């Protein structure tokens, strides 16, 4: 039977692992960056020397490896299966049986934990705490025949509290069920000792200022980022107790093996199906875009764009990818633009926005704004943010704030995966040393120019300063023109054209700019060629204007125009609101 149980949990491990890897691989990549885990002795003591600190430390340690492909899914699956297997051992001790239905009952809380693990605001520490809780139950049941078991129970619940935190309240509830089921001697006295010890661990931390309020002691808020999400942990804790109670009730029943197999299959497949269909698909899509953005995989961002899941932020990322590929001026209107917020959306104080804003500003050369958003995002991250820390290092080096950059570098050197990157940044800590990095030199030129710093609360004005300081900053110029075109401000485009066309800043027109020239000078077609419009663009406008006249009476007029000319600036200008 032991062999069958191992096969059972091996199959569960494979099933959950494959599901998480196929559906949530980018989710794990996103989670990895949401901390700054330090490999120092001081960090260990600061983290561990509080109730529940050990599971918090272990969670951070393992989460840093989420950047390794497949690790997040496989580790999560292994952790959940370990909880399930130990839970099965607990049920065997309670029921005195080692049958397939016991494994099936142990699977119930595991499905609940899968739901939690796909929630961004749930901490890995919660599941590690559950593992300690189940292990404590198993140790207690192995020694429940002893007359002084109440001492062991008090020791274990104290240990669970100190190492794992609030899950000790679940642990006490489980001990009560065990005593009730097995009816050993001195049951009432033993249960009373557990409850008294549990009460002491509520009062003591408050008196010693280990906790601000009782929620941090007995409630699962400790394992979640936001309080509303903590309510979901109650359901999982409840399912743990439910599986134990069902095990006690079914211990006297005869359950056919086929029923157990069918129940397990239904529970696993139904649970994973429920996880898949309750997950915000838009959120998962955003995590994928974030991974490509973080690694500057511009072609992937463009190739995997999904119009049905377009939002302001995903459009921000897409347009940045087009600009980095030098295609924003030619292909911007090949995608569903929605005003200037498609280039830079409205600031909503979210961490995702902070990272995207910081990346956009950094790429166009607006170093001051990039640093501002990186800092705002970092201070709102409860456990730090390694990606934004990298950005703070880069921007401070470019600005010449070498002491600040060195302070951040020292922190990043204490990490496992980012130590080598941080050490390389030390070679640029000096005005004479930064010349070895062409990217930093170009961005410093855009920032400083010849004494005029490109710093302004008005992003459009900042773009103008960046272009003036460094005419080779083509990306800043494309963004500047892009804002004007998306705002349908042809008068501003005319002023820009008269001031900069045929200069080092604007040597030739892109496709979108040619279309804007025609929109501006549509009554004087004889000037188009002189103003830089190609013959192909003139012919495309001829087709557009012909369809505009011929199809105006169609019921599906807009749809017909979009089908034929939806990727032109003319369509955007006339039909996009």
């Amino acid at each position: 039977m032991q062999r069958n149980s191992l096969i059972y949990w091996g199959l569960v491990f494979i099933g959950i692992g494959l599901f998480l890897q196929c559906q949530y691989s980018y989710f794990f990549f996103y989670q990895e960056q949401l901390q700054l885990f330090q490999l120092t002795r001081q960090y260990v003591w600061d983290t561990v020397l509080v109730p529940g600190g050990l599971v918090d430390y272990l969670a951070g340690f393992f989460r840093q490896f989420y950047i390794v492909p497949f690790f997040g899914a496989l580790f999560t699956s292994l952790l959940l299966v370990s909880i399930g297997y130990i839970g099965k051992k607990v049920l065997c001790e309670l029921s005195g049986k080692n049958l397939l239905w016991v494994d099936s009952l142990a699977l119930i809380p595991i499905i609940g934990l899968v739901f939690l693990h796909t929630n961004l605001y749930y901490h890995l520490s919660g599941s590690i705490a559950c593992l300690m809780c189940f292990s404590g139950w198993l140790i207690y049941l192995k020694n429940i025949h002893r007359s002084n078991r109440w001492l062991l129970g008090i020791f274990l619940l104290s240990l669970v509290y100190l190492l794992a935190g609030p899950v000790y309240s679940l642990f006490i509830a489980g001990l009560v069920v065990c005593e009730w089921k097995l009816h050993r001697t001195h049951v009432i006295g033993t249960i009373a000792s557990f409850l008294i010890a549990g009460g002491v661990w509520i009062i003591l931390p408050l008196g010693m200022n280990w906790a601000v309020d009782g929620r941090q002691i007995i409630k699962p808020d400790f394992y979640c980022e936001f309080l509303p999400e903590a309510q979901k942990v109650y359901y999982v804790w409840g399912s743990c107790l439910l599986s134990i109670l069902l095990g006690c009730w079914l211990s006297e029943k005869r359950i056919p093996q086929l029923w157990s197999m069918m129940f397990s299959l239904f529970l696993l497949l139904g649970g994973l199906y429920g996880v898949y269909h309750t997950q915000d698909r838009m959120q998962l899509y955003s995590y994928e875009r974030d991974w490509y953005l973080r690694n500057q995989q511009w072609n992937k961002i463009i190739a995997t764009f999904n119009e049905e899941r377009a939002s302001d932020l995903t459009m921000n990322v897409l347009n940045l990818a087009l600009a980095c590929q030098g295609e924003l001026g030619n292909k911007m209107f090949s995608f569903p633009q929605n005003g200037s917020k498609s280039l830079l959306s409205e600031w909503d104080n979210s961490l995702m926005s902070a990272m995207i804003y910081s990346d956009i500003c950094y790429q166009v050369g607006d170093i001051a704004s990039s640093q501002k958003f990186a800092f705002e995002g970092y201070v709102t991250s409860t456990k730090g943010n390694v990606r934004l820390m990298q950005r703070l290092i880069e921007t401070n080096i470019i600005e010449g704030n070498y002491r600040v950059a060195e302070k951040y570098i020292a922190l990043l050197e204490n990490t496992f995966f980012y130590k080598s990157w941080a050490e390389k940044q030390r070679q640029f800590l000096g005005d004479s040393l930064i010349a070895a990095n062409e990217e930093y030199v170009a961005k410093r030129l855009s920032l400083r120019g010849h004494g005029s710093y490109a710093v302004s609360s008005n992003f459009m004005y900042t773009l103008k300063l960046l272009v003036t300081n460094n005419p080779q900053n083509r990306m800043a110029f494309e963004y500047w023109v892009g804002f004007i075109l998306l705002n349908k401000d042809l008068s501003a485009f005319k002023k820009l054209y008269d001031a900069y066309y045929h200069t080092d800043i604007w040597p030739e027109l892109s496709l979108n700019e040619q279309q804007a020239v025609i929109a501006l000078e549509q009554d004087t077609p004889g000037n188009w060629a002189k103003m830089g419009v190609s013959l192909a663009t003139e012919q495309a406008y001829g087709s557009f204007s012909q369809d505009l006249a011929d199809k105006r009476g169609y019921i599906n007029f807009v749809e017909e125009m979009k089908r034929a000319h939806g990727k032109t600036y003319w369509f955007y200008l006339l039909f996009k609101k």
Side-chain angles (χ1 to χ4, degrees), residues 50-251:
V50 294
L54 180 63
V55 294
D56 200 29
Y57 182 84
L58 290 174
F61 177 81
F62 287 115
R63 195 165 76 173
Q64 68 179 324
F65 293 97
Y66 281 7
I67 196 171
V68 178
F70 303 104
F71 182 88
L74 295 179
F75 172 76
T76 301
S77 182
L78 178 62
L79 174 62
L80 299 186
V81 165
S82 299
I83 295 171
Y85 187 74
I86 295 176
K88 174 251 181 172
K89 291 287 188 181
V90 169
L91 290 173
C92 287
E93 291 292 332
L94 281 171
S95 65
K97 297 181 179 180
N98 187 12
L99 299 174
L100 184 59
W101 64 262
V102 177
D103 297 275
S104 301
L105 291 180
L107 185 61
I108 294 175
I110 304 310
I111 298 303
L113 286 171
V114 174
F115 275 92
L116 288 180
H117 273 270
T118 57
N119 188 321
L120 181 64
Y121 304 113
Y122 175 70
H123 294 165
L124 178 62
S125 57
S127 294
I128 299 177
C130 280
L131 180 63
M132 290 187 176
C133 178
F134 276 72
S135 300
W137 284 339
L138 183 59
I139 293 172
Y140 183 78
L141 287 170
K142 290 286 187 181
N143 296 274
I144 200 168
H145 61 280
R146 298 177 181 273
S147 60
N148 61 347
R149 64 186 183 278
W150 63 275
L151 286 175
L152 175 63
I154 292 175
F155 170 76
L156 287 174
L157 74 85
S158 301
L159 191 64
V160 168
Y161 172 70
L162 292 173
L163 300 183
V167 78
Y168 95 110
S169 58
L170 171 65
F171 182 74
I172 293 175
L175 292 183
V176 171
V177 173
C178 293
E179 285 291 331
W180 165 77
K181 169 64 174 70
L182 297 178
H183 298 294
R184 300 294 178 181
T185 58
H186 310 296
V187 173
I188 296 177
T190 302
I191 292 176
S193 67
F194 296 157
L195 296 178
I196 292 171
V200 170
W201 282 119
I202 294 175
I203 298 170
L204 187 62
L206 292 174
M208 299 184 67
N209 294 321
W210 286 355
V212 177
D213 56 46
R215 291 182 307 180
Q216 294 179 310
I217 303 172
I218 62 174
K219 292 188 176 182
D221 303 3
F222 181 79
Y223 308 117
C224 289
E225 195 80 24
F226 297 114
L227 293 184
E229 301 298 325
Q231 303 301 318
K232 299 174 182 177
V233 183
Y234 282 117
Y235 299 128
V236 175
W237 284 10
S239 69
C240 294
L241 294 175
L242 176 64
S243 64
I244 292 177
L245 291 171
L246 285 174
C248 296
W249 179 60
L250 294 174
S251 61

Side-chain angles (χ1 to χ4, degrees), residues 76 131 146 182 199 333 353 360 397 460 498 543:
T76 301
L131 180 63
R146 298 177 181 273
L182 297 178
F333 295 101
S353 293
I360 291 173
I397 290 176
M460 287 279 285
D498 292 339
S543 174

Side-chain angles (χ1 to χ4, degrees), residues 30-60:
Y30 183 81
Q31 276 194 316
E32 178 272 335
Q33 66 191 335
L34 304 182
Q35 66 172 11
L36 186 65
F37 187 83
Q38 303 277 290
L39 297 173
T40 63
R41 221 175 257 181
Q42 186 62 45
Y43 186 81
V44 174
W45 296 128
D46 290 344
T47 307
V48 171
L49 293 181
V50 294
L54 180 63
V55 294
D56 200 29
Y57 182 84
L58 290 174

